[in-house]
Amino acid sequence: MNSNSKKYIRRWGAGMLAAGILLGGTGILQADITEAAPAAASAKVKSSSVVLKVNGKNAAQAGLLQEGKVWVPVTFLRDALGMPLSYDKAEKTYSIGTGTAQLKLAIMDYGIMIRVNNYYIGEYEGKQLNNRLYVPFQLINDYMGYKGDWNAAAGQLNLTKRTQNAVTIKTASYTKDYKDAPIKLDYPQVSGLANAGAEKAINDLIKQTVLNYAKDAEDQISKRSKDDRPYEFEGGYVVTYNQDGVLSLITNQYGYTGGAHGMTYRNAFTFSLKDGKRLLLGDLFGANPNYKKQLNAKLATEIKANGGYLGGFNGLDTEKYFYLKDGKAVLFFQLYEYTAYAEGFPEFNFSFKELLPDGSSPFAALK
């Protein structure tokens, strides 16, 4: 995460609204009412009602269509989808859902910030609309195991649960409480695969990547002067795709060792659960002999158009910096690799359809 993201997480509890107000008077934890942050004031943008359905049946609560996006009330996730919903008074956060798909929200001076599995999701924010707390449906689609069928003419969105891989994902941690230099690196470990060798290969690669970062962190700590500012190292992850025999996820490791800001290293892993192989772009899009040429052409244009370009991009030099989402691959570059720090991790979306021949699947060769 970049310096702004880090700041958001550290100030998670600032400017929080009352839980009862945000949830539309549901009675959840009405205590500890605080003033609303200016940025969290109810939006005055024109919106229209959306009929929300689950498996074809109308839900009691409605969504909102605003600026081309469907917004879903947080209480719908609890009442219609059965997700546990709670409010943490100490941390001043809402938690919705469980496990690695748990969503956390907090209202701050600069908006309603979102984490999934304690991983900051910078592409989405929540909204307070009509004194209720809403999240964009796309967030639910991307991270919470549901897909939607949108009928624009009828103003209806039907949600159904995704069929996901039969795999269990749990969080492991590497933790060392050094004085003025704590290390806490969370990372995923999988279980329940039919192929024990594949399971071990996946877990070992992820764990070793984290341990390599921890080793580097401890080396930096050993050289720290007692007059230096406190150091800090932390890491987390989020699952982005868990279907079709493929698991895709992002990991971040953040370190602060003084100076104006810390630095984050992002990795991504896409695995075939059949054999534990880490998949590269060519494994998924090799049915198109020109996939790399297409990627480089689009990247060369977009990376310069997005701002903060530092120069030096001459084409992909690795095929591992990507992750999968519903129907697309997301390519990214590291901080400072080609763009200024303020740009964060530049990301570029490529749909499966634009990279593959008609009717082809990126997973066909994995079956």
Side-chain angles (χ1 to χ4, degrees), residues 10 22 29 68 71 82 109 130 139 160 239 244 258-259 267 278 308 348:
R10 284 175 175 166
L22 282 174
L29 299 171
W71 294 84
D109 295 338
N130 303 326
L139 172 77
T160 55
V239 176
D244 305 300
N267 215 324
R278 182 180 186 177
F348 306 91

Side-chain angles (χ1 to χ4, degrees), residues 215-233:
K215 183 176 182 299
D216 182 67
E218 290 172 337
D219 182 60
Q220 294 182 69
I221 292 171
S222 70
K223 299 173 183 176
R224 176 181 175 270
S225 167
K226 64 178 182 180
D227 298 324
D228 287 347
R229 293 181 182 180
Y231 286 8
E232 180 181 9
F233 299 92

Side-chain angles (χ1 to χ4, degrees), residues 45-72:
V45 180
K46 184 179 179 181
S47 60
S48 58
S49 181
V50 170
V51 175
L52 296 177
K53 297 186 173 187
V54 180
N55 298 322
K57 297 181 179 180
N58 285 12
Q61 299 181 59
L64 292 174
L65 179 64
Q66 187 179 97
E67 298 180 318
K69 294 181 180 180
V70 175
W71 294 84
V72 176

Side-chain angles (χ1 to χ4, degrees), residues 151-277:
N151 185 329
Q156 297 180 351
L157 177 67
N158 182 42
L159 281 74
T160 55
K161 198 168 182 63
R162 292 186 181 278
T163 301
Q164 298 196 320
N165 299 312
V167 57
T168 299
I169 307 168
K170 292 188 176 180
T171 298
S173 297
Y174 179 91
T175 304
K176 289 291 183 68
D177 192 20
Y178 294 107
K179 178 177 173 58
D180 293 329
I183 300 175
K184 188 177 188 302
L185 305 172
D186 291 340
Y187 59 95
Q189 296 283 268
V190 304
S191 61
L193 297 187
N195 184 336
E199 185 174 297
K200 184 177 186 304
I202 292 169
N203 288 336
D204 286 353
L205 177 56
I206 295 174
K207 183 177 181 179
Q208 190 57 53
T209 301
V210 171
L211 292 180
N212 288 344
Y213 181 84
K215 183 176 182 299
D216 182 67
E218 290 172 337
D219 182 60
Q220 294 182 69
I221 292 171
S222 70
K223 299 173 183 176
R224 176 181 175 270
S225 167
K226 64 178 182 180
D227 298 324
D228 287 347
R229 293 181 182 180
Y231 286 8
E232 180 181 9
F233 299 92
E234 64 181 45
Y237 72 95
V238 65
V239 176
T240 63
Y241 197 85
N242 185 22
Q243 300 179 81
D244 305 300
V246 172
L247 176 67
S248 191
L249 55 94
I250 311 168
T251 66
N252 272 1
Q253 283 86 44
Y254 168 87
Y256 179 78
T257 56
H261 56 74
M263 276 296 293
T264 302
Y265 178 75
R266 171 180 287 183
N267 215 324
F269 300 90
T270 299
F271 293 106
S272 165
L273 297 182
K274 179 180 178 181
D275 55 15
K277 178 182 178 182

Side-chain angles (χ1 to χ4, degrees), residues 3 37 75 77 81-82 97 121 153 161 172 177 197 201 230 240 245 249 294 311 323:
S3 59
T75 47
L77 304 182
L81 301 184
I121 305 295
K161 198 168 182 63
D177 192 20
T240 63
L249 55 94
Q294 286 180 232
Y323 58 93

Side-chain angles (χ1 to χ4, degrees), residues 85-108:
L85 172 60
S86 62
Y87 177 65
D88 188 304
K89 293 171 62 176
E91 197 176 76
K92 298 182 178 178
T93 64
Y94 298 95
S95 297
I96 308 104
T98 58
T100 58
Q102 186 181 66
L103 180 69
K104 289 191 176 185
L105 305 100
I107 296 181
M108 299 181 169

